Amino acid sequence: MGARKKCRFCSREASVFVRQANLPLCEEHFISWFERKVERTIRRYDLIRPGDKVLVAVSGGKDSMALLCVLKKLSGCMGFEIEGVTLDLGIKGNSYSARSVETAEKAAEELGVKFHVVSIKDRYGFDLDDAVRKVRRPPCSICGLLKRYALTDVAREMDFDALATGHTLNDMARFVLASFMSGAFSELVRLTPASASELPGVPRRIKPFYESLEEHIRTYADLRGLAYMEDGCPYANTAPTDRLRAFLEEMEARSPGTMHAMVRNYLKYLRPALASYLEDELPPLRPCSRCGLPSSGELCSFCRLRDRVLGTG
Ligand code: SF4
Ligand code: ZN
Ligand code: ZN
């Protein structure tokens, strides 16, 4: 992204070139451009309202650490409160979970954000390593279920209005394409910048980076001096190679703006059509009979997983 031009907004030499907007920027103006862009996403999709209490999920990686930093900056002028939470998933290889907690905790302290650590093992009686040993299912799929469930559960218990996650435009574009290719339309239709509260008392899940590219998030995190963790999860090599992600990134490099156009067009045209087509087919969510969180059946998928791991089913 280097460039030798002058910044569009001042006389300094540009150090970042935002190809999607043909915009050369100095470091300071890149930071304000990026923060304003996230603010516009929040306002456009009504993600956060004045007075809201928002819990930010922080894994220690660049996306969630940048999210914590941006939301801290915006919380003052937009009039909302934030706190951070990191799940200790119990991944012992490479000291992954320990490093993840330590990294997030340090960043929250530096930013002056109130912070919580939640141990999955203490809360539910098993951790990811236990589940991987007992259940024949790819580790990342178990991990996704654990994280989704535990974060919603914690945010509900602590009475937050919204739970913010660091999902990016790259994640969204990949999900649109993957769901389209596999025909998973009932999952695709749920992909929105904010999922409305599914049941009373359950916080909305919001994605303030819905329109932010990972390359810009990384630049922002670097310019802000955030000491984020590079990957290093011992289970990462069990995930199938993400060719779709690489394909989309190549398209973006050749044709800047591709991912944004794809996701905006999905929201504007495809999603409304899909929602009305699937109206009668989507099972209504109801409270899980054991834990009370949203479920499409009698027991939610987390409670079923927990039974299998603990042998209580
Ligand atoms: Fe979880 Fe997979 Fe990410 Fe590891 S690589 S933290 S198992 S989703
Ligand atoms: Zn400038
Ligand atoms: Zn349940």
Side-chain angles (χ1 to χ4, degrees):
M1 286 206 291
R4 287 283 162 261
K5 293 181 182 169
K6 289 258 182 279
C7 169
R8 177 75 53 86
F9 302 115
C10 73
S11 57
R12 275 177 293 215
E13 191 173 281
S15 49
V16 181
F17 182 62
V18 181
R19 288 172 299 132
Q20 292 75 7
N22 199 18
L23 199 56
L25 295 172
C26 68
E27 295 188 359
E28 187 189 316
H29 281 114
F30 175 82
I31 288 176
S32 49
W33 171 82
F34 182 82
E35 289 173 353
R36 272 205 317 277
K37 187 171 166 56
V38 178
E39 181 181 345
R40 276 201 303 276
T41 303
I42 292 174
R43 293 191 191 279
R44 177 177 292 133
Y45 299 111
D46 193 24
L47 301 190
I48 305 177
R49 298 156 199 161
D52 270 356
K53 260 182 80 185
V54 180
L55 185 64
V56 186
V58 192
S59 68
K62 69 177 189 322
D63 302 332
S64 61
M65 295 267 281
L67 182 64
L68 188 71
C69 184
V70 182
L71 291 185
K72 172 66 183 168
K73 299 282 160 207
L74 296 178
S75 60
C77 62
M78 296 182 76
F80 60 87
E81 280 174 48
I82 67 160
E83 294 180 18
V85 65
T86 296
L87 299 176
D88 177 349
L89 294 162
I91 302 175
K92 288 161 211 74
N94 296 342
S95 306
Y96 182 77
S97 288
R99 286 191 298 119
S100 158
V101 168
E102 197 183 317
T103 307
E105 197 162 27
K106 195 155 167 259
E109 196 185 316
E110 280 169 11
L111 290 167
V113 174
K114 189 170 172 193
F115 183 71
H116 310 267
V117 178
V118 173
S119 156
I120 293 287
K121 182 112 179 181
D122 291 350
R123 197 173 171 92
Y124 305 112
F126 70 98
D127 60 21
L128 185 63
D129 284 353
D130 297 330
V132 168
R133 275 193 298 273
K134 300 231 169 113
V135 179
R136 272 177 188 273
R137 192 169 151 176
C140 294
S141 136
I142 305 175
C143 184
L145 170 59
L146 265 182
K147 287 191 281 202
R148 249 191 332 275
Y149 180 88
L151 289 169
T152 308
D153 190 24
V154 167
R156 174 185 66 160
E157 185 184 276
M158 294 200 277
D159 220 11
F160 281 89
D161 300 293
L163 168 70
T165 56
H167 291 101
T168 64
L169 178 57
N170 304 51
D171 295 325
M172 299 303 108
R174 188 197 158 284
F175 194 79
V176 169
L177 196 55
S179 310
F180 196 76
M181 287 165 72
S182 66
F185 295 121
S186 52
E187 287 165 34
L188 178 58
V189 82
R190 294 191 207 274
L191 186 77
T192 48
S195 63
S197 170
E198 288 159 332
L199 289 173
V202 177
R204 336 187 273 288
R205 281 194 305 267
I206 60 170
K207 303 179 186 81
F209 283 164
Y210 197 87
E211 296 179 319
S212 297
L213 279 170
E214 281 176 24
E215 61 181 273
H216 298 151
I217 296 172
R218 180 181 289 278
T219 304
Y220 177 79
D222 289 340
L223 294 180
R224 279 275 181 213
L226 299 175
Y228 56 84
M229 256 180 20
E230 290 294 351
D231 296 340
C233 175
Y235 296 121
N237 61 4
T238 63
T241 315
D242 204 338
R243 292 188 209 285
L244 274 188
R245 183 176 282 272
F247 166 74
L248 283 165
E249 279 162 14
E250 195 189 322
M251 291 292 293
E252 184 69 34
R254 286 174 193 226
S255 267
T258 299
M259 288 199 235
H260 193 241
M262 204 173 136
V263 171
R264 283 292 281 275
N265 287 335
Y266 153 74
L267 264 189
K268 196 166 171 192
Y269 302 109
L270 186 58
R271 189 178 175 278
L274 263 182
S276 68
Y277 177 69
L278 294 170
E279 203 172 7
D280 299 328
E281 291 182 31
L282 288 177
L285 294 174
R286 54 174 161 157
C288 165
S289 63
R290 188 177 301 160
C291 69
L293 283 182
S295 170
S296 49
E298 168 78 14
L299 270 189
C300 74
S301 29
F302 175 83
C303 285
R304 280 186 276 125
L305 171 80
R306 190 180 184 192
D307 277 346
R308 282 168 68 195
V309 179
L310 300 178
T312 49

